[in-house]
Amino acid sequence: MANQEDLFKKIIAHAKEYGFVFQSSEIYDGLSAVYDYGQNGSELKKNIRDYWWKSMVQMHENIVGIDAAIFMHPTTWKASGHVDAFSDPLIDNKDSKKRYRADVLVEDHMAKIEAKIDKEVEKAQSRFGDSFDEQQFRETNQRVLENQKKIDEIRTTFFAALEREDLVAVKAIIEDLGIVCPVSGSRNWTEVRQFNLMFSTNMGSVAEGATEIYLRPETAQGIFVNYLNVQKTGRMKIPFGIAQTGKAFRNEIVARQFIFRMREFEQMEMQFFVQPGQEIKWYEYWKAERMKWHLSLGISADKYRFHDHDKLAHYANAAADIEFDFPIGFKELEGIHSRTDFDLSAHEKFSGKKLRYHDPELNESYVPYVVETSIGLDRMFLAIMSNAYTEEQLEDGSERVVMKIPPFLAPYKVAIFPLTKKDGLPEKASEIMDNLKPDFMCFYEEKDAIGKRYRRHDAIGTPFCITVDHQTMDDNTVTLRERDSMVQTRVKVEELTGIISGKLKNR
Ligand code: GAP
């Protein structure tokens, strides 16, 4: 655990040092849970967004993309249920004056019990060696069973209390479990209250009578309110999808953990409109499809797992998360939700406009059901950064930090180095760069020894480095060095574009 915490700190420091992520308004000591992407971070983020868009929109003839405004008519959020139900249960510790999400306190408590189980399993594993049967151990060991029972009991009673919105019972559970404030160590808690997560602002001048509007807490509603516009103008036939990427805002209470939980973040969402009764089939389809997308990045499958929801959101009849093994543990990266006809029906009711589909096959009209895939771009960025961060001991005894970012997502694809600053090498290197620039993000560097330049590009994940030397002037060849293997090959300048694009393809 300490190692993982250490790793997380290293990734955060690396992200800052190499221009990936900065604290927002840092010169004014920052703004809590708000971050800016630097010169390398914004490239990586754009590449992830483009890859998602390509996979979802370009690769599916029945999915189209839109770009809706952040501001929406305030009734949208009445209809969607966000005004009444988009809140977290809050509790304050009277001694430290720190505020917590009641559900997070209980989940952290369960995680501690889970950690005890893992420790038992680890101990037994080293005791029994190869003959160890983990499943059998988990099913029969008394201490494991007792702890598992505790977790199951907490989960059942706690979720039932949340479901009933019984905040008195929620507080009682926190007290019964003896949960203490991590800062003051005391159990001196306030009552539990609901806290709405939407940010609001005013539109129009006060004299005219300003209207309170919200910064959207999810991009999905921009898709729902445009359902009919897109269906009609695009002549879309069910089943079909509408995708969009864009900013969302939530006044998160627990806002630590770097870009994992932010107050301003970006989502990549797709709403898939289907016949009523077909939604579970499509829900399973998109669960599998989205997992395939993650695995297409070449990240090991054991870094991912599904987590089916016990407690469903107010709009869902089935929901699962794709969780990723971040340095802070397995956490939600993406949600796949079967949202029924909740949103479209609610918008019909609140707007008084029909949001139906006339199905030529069934010869009937209905409000479509919706299966949603919703992934946080910033969380995906963090998943890629934490998976990529590698410290390596090299054969010559030196060390390097290399960001093993999937090459097609890397901020820069190619770095070009003249070996020296004389003998026409810089001019030749610039000429090569000018030829590669239209196809790839390129970086030109002539300062410091080649080894140092390699290290700098390893640290930002540049997959290819090209060195222009004296031999280049004679035979028009360069060395092409690959980031992960560090293998260098001599290749002809005119073949560079073909070789690099071949290696960058991701199908
Ligand atoms: N439209 C459905 C929806 O918004 P959600 O589970 O609340 O569902 C979807 O959010 C995804 O958005 C999450 O899986 C996560 O990746 C991302 N996300 C949510 N809140 C976030 C936050 N405060 N900071 C960063 N990403 C967040």
Side-chain angles (χ1 to χ4, degrees):
M1 201 62 183
N3 272 348
Q4 288 299 91
E5 267 169 36
D6 210 29
L7 172 67
F8 197 40
K9 282 189 191 142
K10 282 184 185 174
I11 292 166
I12 297 169
H14 191 87
K16 180 178 175 194
E17 188 180 346
Y18 287 93
F20 284 95
V21 182
F22 307 125
Q23 174 92 57
S24 157
S25 344
E26 196 188 322
I27 57 166
Y28 295 105
D29 293 334
L31 187 64
S32 169
V34 186
Y35 290 89
D36 297 338
Y37 286 82
Q39 68 281 17
N40 293 319
S42 57
E43 281 297 326
L44 173 58
K45 192 175 170 200
K46 176 176 72 63
N47 294 341
I48 301 170
R49 189 192 298 112
D50 288 350
Y51 181 56
W52 181 88
W53 191 269
K54 189 171 176 185
S55 317
M56 299 300 275
V57 179
Q58 187 173 332
M59 297 298 287
H60 289 94
E61 291 139 65
N62 60 348
I63 300 181
V64 291
I66 63 165
D67 183 11
I70 287 171
F71 292 147
M72 299 182 70
H73 192 285
T75 310
T76 309
W77 307 109
K78 264 299 234 194
S80 67
H82 284 82
V83 170
D84 295 325
F86 193 58
S87 49
D88 280 339
L90 251 192
I91 190 164
D92 292 287
N93 183 268
K94 291 184 196 161
D95 298 320
S96 66
K97 310 271 184 282
K98 291 274 173 203
R99 179 164 287 181
Y100 300 94
R101 261 173 64 179
D103 55 332
V104 172
L105 283 180
V106 174
E107 266 161 27
D108 286 352
H109 183 81
M110 290 196 286
K112 279 189 195 143
I113 307 177
E114 190 96 51
K116 280 189 196 162
I117 298 180
D118 290 345
K119 224 179 193 150
E120 288 292 340
V121 173
E122 247 173 60
K123 268 198 323 211
Q125 197 151 29
S126 59
R127 206 172 337 124
F128 294 113
D130 285 346
S131 62
F132 181 62
D133 180 340
E134 184 176 331
Q135 194 184 346
Q136 193 195 8
F137 181 78
R138 282 180 184 272
E139 284 167 5
T140 53
N141 179 274
Q142 208 47 41
R143 271 193 297 268
V144 170
L145 289 175
E146 274 165 22
N147 279 326
Q148 190 55 53
K149 191 163 161 239
K150 273 189 206 160
I151 294 177
D152 295 342
E153 279 171 6
I154 297 171
R155 187 167 283 136
T156 316
T157 49
F158 187 68
F159 284 131
L162 278 184
E163 197 74 59
R164 296 194 307 277
E165 296 197 13
D166 184 348
L167 300 182
V168 175
V170 169
K171 183 178 179 193
I173 292 170
I174 291 175
E175 284 174 337
D176 290 349
L177 293 174
I179 295 176
V180 297
C181 166
V183 176
S184 67
S186 89
R187 297 178 192 180
N188 196 5
W189 297 111
T190 62
E191 299 308 307
V192 179
R193 282 164 296 130
Q194 288 290 4
F195 174 82
N196 195 291
L197 299 181
M198 283 196 293
F199 283 102
S200 68
T201 185
N202 292 310
M203 184 175 257
S205 74
V206 176
E208 283 167 21
T211 313
E212 186 186 28
I213 55 166
Y214 299 101
L215 273 72
R216 65 181 178 199
E218 61 170 11
T219 59
Q221 296 305 324
I223 294 179
F224 290 124
V225 299
N226 279 298
Y227 154 75
L228 208 57
N229 285 336
V230 175
Q231 191 273 319
K232 289 225 173 319
T233 57
R235 289 176 288 118
M236 307 301 292
K237 292 203 168 38
I238 272 180
F240 75 91
I242 305 179
Q244 88 164 318
T245 69
K247 287 280 175 114
F249 303 83
R250 293 182 191 179
N251 198 0
E252 297 283 1
I253 303 154
V254 182
R256 23 184 174 106
Q257 302 167 329
F258 191 42
I259 56 171
F260 180 81
R261 198 178 302 284
M262 302 156 89
R263 295 200 164 110
E264 174 179 342
F265 59 100
E266 194 163 335
Q267 289 186 316
M268 306 192 285
E269 298 200 298
M270 192 276 298
Q271 312 294 321
F272 200 68
F273 300 91
V274 305
Q275 259 180 27
Q278 301 275 309
E279 72 276 12
I280 296 301
K281 178 185 96 182
W282 285 110
Y283 165 73
E284 295 299 341
Y285 170 85
W286 280 110
K287 260 177 84 171
E289 208 50 24
R290 290 303 304 149
M291 185 59 99
K292 268 196 234 160
W293 183 86
H294 287 282
L295 298 181
S296 76
L297 297 168
I299 296 174
S300 153
D302 60 15
K303 289 270 184 181
Y304 289 96
R305 71 180 186 197
F306 281 113
H307 169 241
D308 294 315
H309 285 205
D310 299 323
K311 180 179 181 273
L312 293 171
H314 58 275
Y315 48 72
N317 70 355
D321 295 336
I322 293 179
E323 293 187 337
F324 184 79
D325 190 6
F326 291 99
I328 45 174
F330 266 102
K331 300 261 180 221
E332 175 185 345
L333 170 59
E334 169 157 13
I336 294 109
H337 311 124
S338 171
R339 287 180 82 129
T340 67
D341 60 351
F342 175 86
D343 302 85
L344 288 182
S345 294
H347 288 305
E348 264 202 342
K349 189 168 132 218
F350 278 79
S351 69
K353 309 264 163 40
K354 287 250 174 290
L355 298 175
R356 299 191 170 229
Y357 176 75
H358 180 77
D359 196 320
E361 274 171 33
L362 302 178
N363 197 24
E364 66 177 68
S365 291
Y366 52 77
V367 177
Y369 271 46
V370 172
V371 175
E372 157 184 82
T373 72
S374 174
I375 175 168
L377 176 50
D378 312 86
R379 277 194 198 173
M380 193 62 222
F381 182 101
L382 182 59
I384 288 177
M385 288 287 282
S386 33
N387 190 67
Y389 183 89
T390 316
E391 291 172 353
E392 276 182 0
Q393 194 84 37
L394 303 182
E395 273 172 17
D396 64 2
S398 64
E399 282 176 10
R400 71 166 183 162
V401 170
V402 51
M403 293 301 281
K404 296 190 174 176
I405 297 169
F408 70 104
L409 296 180
Y412 286 93
K413 305 296 187 275
V414 188
I416 296 150
F417 312 146
L419 185 63
T420 65
K421 286 189 207 166
K422 46 186 203 281
D423 305 329
L425 300 187
E427 291 73 16
K428 182 68 183 170
S430 301
E431 182 196 311
I432 294 172
M433 167 136 163
D434 286 343
N435 274 323
L436 295 175
K437 254 182 350 198
D439 295 307
F440 313 108
M441 279 294 289
C442 296
F443 200 109
Y444 178 85
E445 286 233 49
E446 54 179 34
K447 199 170 169 290
D448 296 324
I450 291 287
K452 263 197 172 169
R453 290 183 244 173
Y454 281 155
R455 285 302 92 83
R456 279 202 288 270
H457 280 276
D458 287 342
I460 63 167
T462 308
F464 303 105
C465 293
I466 293 170
T467 304
V468 175
D469 55 19
H470 292 95
Q471 191 183 331
T472 313
M473 307 307 268
D474 294 337
D475 64 5
N476 213 32
T477 63
V478 290
T479 52
L480 182 67
R481 182 252 195 195
E482 295 198 32
R483 178 193 69 195
D484 297 350
S485 63
M486 295 190 289
V487 166
Q488 299 181 20
T489 37
R490 197 89 208 166
V491 304
K492 291 192 184 128
V493 167
E494 59 272 23
E495 288 173 0
L496 277 171
T497 303
I499 295 173
I500 295 169
S501 25
K503 287 178 189 279
L504 287 175
K505 272 217 171 81
N506 185 52
R507 283 175 176 269

